[in-house]
Amino acid sequence: MRLRTGSLLPGVVAVALLATGSAACTLKNSGEPSGGQAPASARAGGGSAVLADGSATEVALVPGGAHPYFQLWKTAGAKARKTYRLGDVRFDETAEWDQQKQNNLLSTLAARGYNAFGVFGVSPTDINTTFTDLKSQGLAVASLGSCPAGKKNEADFCLSTDVELAAYKAARAAIDAMGGTGRLVHLTGNNVDANTQLRIKGVARAVKESGGRVRLLQTVTDIDEDLQTAQKAVSDLLTAKGKQIQGIVSTAYNPAVAAADAVKSSGSRARVVAIDDDAKILSSIRQGTVTATVVQNPVGQAEVGAWALALLQTKQCAMRSPGQSVDSGSFVVTKENLTTYDRARKAKTAQLKKRFADDVLACG
């Protein structure tokens, strides 16, 4: 599996945005009178660049395979369809993480009339070929949740977590919880995944900043295939090295849940920092067995992604810099902000819309 993420409370905040210059997208405040047309709140989703008519836009949100993280794409996509009055927003996925099978699914959807695609590519090293093929058919394409490996993105844009930064934040939180000293273990996903390598880099950066006070005891990769695999790996780790470990940082979904359970059941004193907001992780933060978690913004990816794709597909807007990457946000959650952190994510989603309107898109 290529993605190490989790859940997010649904919701999109409505904010008033100021109109920008003629080169940027037109903005309307929510509820602003609009003559005989539909209310701005219906057409623009509460302050976004105005989408005059998205009824001919049919968006397909296609993850690389089954994973809990993407279920929030489904709910956010359904909401975006109503908010922006799109022709359709379909969530579809293959049963296996296989690039060829994903390519076949994308071809099938294009043949059925879908003309805008938000895709989490199975293979970061190969997905640009897929994007190029879709673009050659005149389709609007976004790389959502993960950017292609390397420096080139053939999709119109990439809206994804800056995974290196998120991993750095998680490791810093773990190191702080350890008192700035001791041995840290990093649990993560598929070793050949470009995102995993970025996460490893982010954790290494935090450890280096400790000036030698923190030692990275082990990086455990390839344990995010399913929860059972992660549970066995974490159990084996604690059995073999539990007394040597002062901190555990997980940058993959299933290992994070497994670590939360294992530390609680074993009585380990290791400080755990997880990823995403699985119910078990949030409960463990309340109970004190997990110190913190770093959450992402899948709802923002799907909601803003569908809106921007519709603006591109209708030719109302174009990309200022084709292939631009935008960080969808990551947030450290502790017991102190457990009940309020989702406000920050909603605000980030609103900021993303404004950034796209002001800086990313050029609208006529």
Side-chain angles (χ1 to χ4, degrees):
M1 189 171 293
R2 301 298 188 266
L3 176 66
R4 313 300 161 238
T5 45
S7 59
L8 172 64
L9 301 174
V12 178
V13 68
V15 294
L17 300 177
L18 298 175
T20 59
S22 60
C25 294
T26 304
L27 301 177
K28 280 187 179 291
N29 294 330
S30 177
E32 179 180 333
S34 53
Q37 296 179 330
S41 58
R43 293 185 294 114
S48 302
V50 175
L51 178 62
D53 182 3
S55 61
T57 302
E58 298 194 7
V59 180
L61 299 176
V62 184
H67 195 283
Y69 181 87
F70 296 120
Q71 293 307 303
L72 278 302
W73 277 20
K74 183 185 295 185
T75 55
K79 183 172 182 179
R81 178 183 181 181
K82 294 180 180 179
T83 300
Y84 305 119
R85 298 185 177 182
L86 303 177
D88 192 17
V89 177
R90 178 189 178 97
F91 175 89
D92 209 337
E93 62 187 9
T94 57
E96 300 175 51
W97 285 71
D98 182 284
Q99 188 60 66
Q100 187 55 54
K101 290 182 178 179
Q102 185 184 46
N103 290 347
N104 293 341
L105 174 59
L106 293 169
S107 295
T108 298
L109 291 169
R112 291 178 181 174
Y114 287 89
N115 52 22
F117 289 83
V119 181
F120 182 102
V122 175
S123 172
T125 57
D126 300 324
I127 193 62
N128 268 332
T129 301
T130 303
F131 292 155
T132 299
D133 179 62
L134 292 171
K135 292 285 292 176
S136 71
Q137 300 174 55
L139 308 174
V141 183
S143 185
L144 297 182
S146 177
C147 298
K151 298 181 180 180
K152 184 70 173 177
N153 173 29
E154 295 292 351
D156 289 301
F157 63 88
C158 178
L159 181 58
S160 174
T161 307
D162 182 332
V163 293
E164 181 178 338
L165 177 60
Y168 170 77
K169 291 178 181 178
R172 281 295 303 267
I175 289 169
D176 289 344
M178 293 162 55
T181 186
R183 289 176 287 272
L184 178 70
V185 168
H186 178 199
L187 310 177
T188 190
N190 193 317
N191 190 50
V192 300
D193 189 332
N195 282 340
T196 297
Q197 292 303 313
L198 289 172
R199 291 178 173 116
I200 290 172
K201 186 177 178 180
V203 171
R205 173 186 161 196
V207 170
K208 183 178 180 180
E209 288 180 356
S210 74
R213 299 184 66 201
V214 174
R215 174 189 169 197
L216 185 59
L217 181 66
Q218 187 173 350
T219 297
V220 186
T221 63
D222 302 304
I223 58 170
D224 195 33
E225 186 66 29
D226 51 50
L227 184 56
Q228 293 71 28
T229 299
Q231 287 172 328
K232 183 179 185 306
V234 174
S235 176
D236 290 348
L237 173 70
L238 291 179
T239 298
K241 301 180 179 180
K243 293 182 180 180
Q244 303 175 49
I245 301 170
Q246 283 74 51
I248 298 174
V249 57
S250 178
T251 59
Y253 175 82
N254 286 307
V257 176
D261 286 340
V263 168
K264 180 179 178 180
S265 61
S266 69
S268 169
R269 293 188 175 184
R271 302 291 187 176
V272 177
V273 173
I275 189 170
D276 297 312
D277 47 0
D278 180 88
K280 288 184 179 180
I281 292 172
L282 298 182
S283 177
S284 296
I285 291 176
R286 291 189 191 95
Q287 297 169 8
T289 52
V290 169
T291 299
T293 189
V294 173
V295 300
Q296 300 176 83
N297 192 9
V299 166
Q301 292 166 4
E303 199 272 339
V304 176
W307 162 75
L309 281 167
L311 289 168
L312 293 171
Q313 193 279 328
T314 59
K315 309 300 182 184
Q316 181 176 327
C317 301
M319 290 294 299
R320 289 178 181 271
S321 300
Q324 181 176 348
S325 296
V326 178
D327 181 13
S328 54
S330 56
F331 314 86
V332 178
V333 177
T334 65
K335 188 178 291 186
E336 285 68 29
N337 66 338
L338 193 60
T339 60
T340 60
Y341 72 90
D342 198 50
R343 297 175 190 171
R345 284 193 300 197
K346 291 178 180 179
K348 178 64 176 181
T349 296
Q351 292 167 7
L352 287 170
K353 289 182 184 178
K354 180 168 172 54
R355 180 178 176 188
F356 267 76
D358 290 351
D359 303 320
V360 177
L361 298 173
C363 306

